[in-house]
Amino acid sequence: MVRIGVLSDVHLSKSVWGERQHERLKKAFLFYRAKGVDGIVISGDLQENLEINTSLKNIGEFWQIWESIFPENRNPLTDEPVEPLFIYGNHDRILVEAGYWPEKYGKFAPAWHKEVKGYHFVGAHYTREGEVLTAQLVHQAQEAAGEKPFFYIQTT
């Protein structure tokens, strides 16, 4: 069994609405930590599509919140790993264009394939690049999943 949390359209920013989003994001992560999830899908729009310096600040705050709840991608309540299953959405486009991706997650690619507790996930960031890679990763996930379902995450 795999337990996956799902969030969409976080839209961190420094507006009044955005400040509430910081608290909502923390509460959501704390909820999923208490439930003992194995991974969390955030399907795009982690922050607002502003100029690059503001976007980098917002995405930095997003990762600070993640790290404060799941240090080293682990649930401190269970000491089990929690896999970040994040993709950029259209509001994160400026980050894609700037080539920003946290170093700890390796080199940015337009799509990724991860396995969580024997279940396969493919994520495709909001970008026009990588259609061939995405198709290859989906095929790979289908093959590896066997009888189990696999999960595909993409924003449009």
Side-chain angles (χ1 to χ4, degrees), residues 87 108-113 122-125 127 129-131 133-135 137 152:
I87 59 170
F108 176 82
W112 49 257
H113 174 200
V122 174
H125 296 289
T127 175
E129 301 171 10
E131 291 176 7
L133 174 61
T134 300
L137 293 176
Y152 179 73

Side-chain angles (χ1 to χ4, degrees), residues 73-134:
N73 296 337
R74 298 194 80 74
N75 183 333
L77 303 177
T78 63
D79 199 37
E80 293 290 320
V82 178
E83 187 67 39
L85 302 164
F86 301 154
I87 59 170
Y88 284 150
N90 64 319
H91 285 263
D92 306 309
R93 185 178 64 246
I94 196 166
L95 296 167
V96 173
E97 291 167 358
Y100 172 80
W101 188 245
E103 289 180 23
K104 70 185 275 181
Y105 295 109
K107 188 177 181 211
F108 176 82
W112 49 257
H113 174 200
K114 294 182 179 183
E115 183 179 349
V116 179
K117 291 187 95 174
Y119 289 85
H120 294 265
F121 295 80
V122 174
H125 296 289
Y126 183 84
T127 175
R128 303 251 186 268
E129 301 171 10
E131 291 176 7
V132 171
L133 174 61
T134 300

Side-chain angles (χ1 to χ4, degrees), residues 9 13 16 19 22 25 40 59-61 74 79 86 106 108 110-111 119 125-126 129 137 141 148:
D9 296 285
S13 71
V16 173
E19 286 297 321
H22 283 72
L25 180 62
I40 299 179
I59 200 70
E61 290 170 358
R74 298 194 80 74
D79 199 37
F86 301 154
F108 176 82
Y119 289 85
H125 296 289
Y126 183 84
E129 301 171 10
L137 293 176
K148 291 181 181 177

